[in-house]
Amino acid sequence: MAPSFAQSAPLCYSLASVGGILEVGATAVLAVPDARKKEGKIMSHWKLQAALAGNVMMQLVGSLASNLFAPWFGPVSIVAPIYFSSTLIANILIFGILLGLECFTKNMRVGTYVIAVATVMLPIVGPGVQQEQQFDELVHHLHTGLWLGLLLTGMMITTAFLTLGITQYKEKIRIAILLVARSTSFTLNLTVSRAFILAPGHSFLLACIIIKVVSGAIYTYAIVVQSTTVEQNTFVPLNATIIILVNALTGVIVWEDWMVVESWLGYLCVFILLALGCDLLLSTPILNADNQEYGRIATEKLLRSQKRRQEFSSVDFTEDATFNDNDSDNDSEHGGGSVTTDLQSHFNAEPATPNIKMTNYGSLTPDEPSPPELEGILQ
């Protein structure tokens, strides 16, 4: 039988935070020699070896702290948000302030602060610790088996895609495959870590050990594939959001967090804040305004007008139209000429719809020139 540990929320939060900080530190100790090399300052061989050893050691300790030990003392659904928020905060402190290797935009800083505030609120309104849980009883529930089976199936299918290669797919499909692979493997890894201390039977214990090793390997392999197949500034915030949400669902479905949630409204609002914070971290936020000077409706009208003009300009008008006698007479009365010339002159003319600009009061003002950023959109 596996040992049983008394539940301690502060210890759970601390271990998850330490894991996130060490993850960033592991990256930093290798980033510094690389930055010095770009500046023309080559570090000695023993310093490079020490940096590599520090990277491996911090990754190992951080992984054990956040992925193995933290779920032993508190809810699985709390570990992931705390881990990722501590990673983001440490990223700004270490790379932005301490080392000065990266510049973080206002959106990135605000997004990180929003996530940090949401994470601070999460233990207050979210699920608390639960004593006397038995994994053998939990796993025999139908909904638990279905959810764990869904996670395992998603992990194995996406692993097959990653093994065969995903470079031939569109970027959105590559992102979706990686998101499923990383969220399912991370969630299963935390889940079986917690199962270790709940005295599972011998068969369940063996299954948990296998899943722990396999999910950890798949998660690491997905990170390697991610580094060369998708844009990191888009994928990383999306990945954090999806992993946090999948872990929250796992906490409710598998670990019965619904029994100990302090405030469902507060719990929901925290996850909305987490999603909004991650959106701010994107290079092009999903919820960003369409244009700083133009409202959404005016922008859409201008885009549709430009699209129609491009479609009309691509029409071939070289063939002469056939008219009956009555149409010919009518054309003669109006000055004659071919309809081809009339159509061409009409479609080549500037559109009658004036440019529309939003004033401070929300009204539409015609005949205002388009700003340079909107002209770039319309090209």
Side-chain angles (χ1 to χ4, degrees):
M1 290 293 181
S4 180
F5 292 86
Q7 299 295 281
S8 172
L11 185 55
C12 173
Y13 308 152
S14 300
L15 288 170
S17 300
V18 168
I21 295 171
L22 289 177
E23 184 75 20
V24 178
T27 306
V29 295
L30 291 183
V32 172
D34 183 67
R36 297 295 179 267
K37 182 178 179 180
K38 292 178 180 178
E39 296 172 356
K41 302 176 182 178
I42 306 299
M43 299 181 67
S44 62
H45 178 72
W46 73 268
K47 288 184 179 180
L48 294 176
Q49 293 299 316
L52 181 60
N55 173 271
V56 173
M57 182 61 65
M58 282 192 281
Q59 284 200 58
L60 178 61
V61 176
S63 178
L64 290 174
S66 59
N67 293 354
L68 181 61
F69 298 140
W72 290 4
F73 300 97
V76 169
S77 55
I78 299 294
V79 173
I82 292 178
Y83 170 79
F84 282 108
S85 64
S86 63
T87 300
L88 294 172
I89 294 174
N91 199 41
I92 287 181
L93 293 177
I94 295 176
F95 281 92
I97 298 177
L98 183 61
L99 299 178
L101 297 179
E102 293 187 14
C103 178
F104 295 91
T105 65
K106 180 180 179 180
N107 273 9
M108 291 179 179
R109 295 194 303 272
V110 173
T112 300
Y113 302 151
V114 170
I115 293 174
V117 171
T119 305
V120 170
M121 296 298 299
L122 187 57
I124 300 174
V125 300
V129 298
Q130 297 188 69
Q131 309 286 351
E132 307 298 332
Q133 281 189 317
Q134 293 295 326
F135 185 72
D136 290 353
E137 296 179 4
L138 294 172
V139 80
H140 279 102
H141 295 157
L142 177 61
H143 56 272
T144 300
L146 290 175
W147 180 250
L148 292 177
L150 181 62
L151 293 178
L152 282 169
T153 302
M155 183 179 71
M156 300 312 298
I157 291 176
T158 51
T159 301
F161 277 103
L162 295 177
T163 304
L164 296 173
I166 60 174
T167 55
Q168 68 271 26
Y169 301 111
K170 295 181 179 179
E171 186 176 15
K172 290 183 179 180
I173 298 178
R174 296 198 301 268
I175 289 176
I177 293 173
L178 285 166
L179 286 176
V180 174
R182 292 197 59 180
S183 61
T184 53
S185 59
F186 188 87
T187 302
L188 286 169
N189 198 277
L190 292 183
T191 296
V192 297
S193 294
R194 180 162 178 78
F196 287 151
I197 65 157
L198 298 181
H202 294 293
S203 57
F204 282 123
L205 180 60
L206 178 60
C208 288
I209 293 174
I210 295 174
I211 293 174
K212 178 70 176 178
V213 174
V214 172
S215 61
I218 291 174
Y219 186 79
T220 304
Y221 180 60
I223 293 176
V224 175
V225 176
Q226 162 202 328
S227 63
T228 57
T229 56
V230 294
E231 294 290 338
Q232 302 306 306
N233 53 12
T234 299
F235 179 82
V236 172
L238 289 176
N239 176 66
T241 304
I242 297 300
I243 287 180
I244 290 171
L245 292 178
V246 173
N247 271 276
L249 289 174
T250 303
V252 172
I253 297 172
V254 177
W255 298 109
E256 297 182 344
D257 284 353
W258 54 270
M259 299 177 62
V260 290
V261 171
E262 297 294 335
S263 170
W264 279 104
L265 178 60
Y267 195 42
L268 177 62
C269 289
V270 162
F271 282 100
I272 292 175
L273 286 174
L274 290 172
L276 292 174
C278 289
D279 178 71
L280 287 171
L281 297 179
L282 290 170
S283 57
T284 305
I286 298 174
L287 301 178
N288 194 24
D290 298 89
N291 188 275
Q292 294 181 353
E293 296 187 21
Y294 281 67
R296 179 181 60 82
I297 296 177
T299 303
E300 290 177 354
K301 286 181 178 180
L302 289 172
L303 290 173
R304 286 196 297 267
S305 175
Q306 177 69 10
K307 183 178 180 181
R308 286 197 298 268
R309 181 164 41 171
Q310 291 175 350
E311 290 175 350
F312 291 152
S313 63
S314 64
V315 177
D316 186 5
F317 297 110
T318 57
E319 296 183 2
D320 291 332
T322 303
F323 304 96
N324 56 33
D325 293 338
N326 293 333
D327 290 336
S328 299
D329 295 339
N330 291 336
D331 288 339
S332 299
E333 293 176 359
H334 291 84
S338 65
V339 71
T340 301
T341 305
D342 294 337
L343 287 172
Q344 288 176 334
S345 62
H346 172 73
F347 291 132
N348 290 332
E350 290 297 323
T353 305
N355 290 328
I356 302 172
K357 184 175 183 180
M358 298 298 296
T359 66
N360 293 333
Y361 300 98
S363 60
L364 300 179
T365 305
D367 302 327
E368 290 286 347
S370 301
E373 61 269 22
L374 186 59
E375 290 293 343
I377 297 175
L378 295 176
Q379 291 299 325

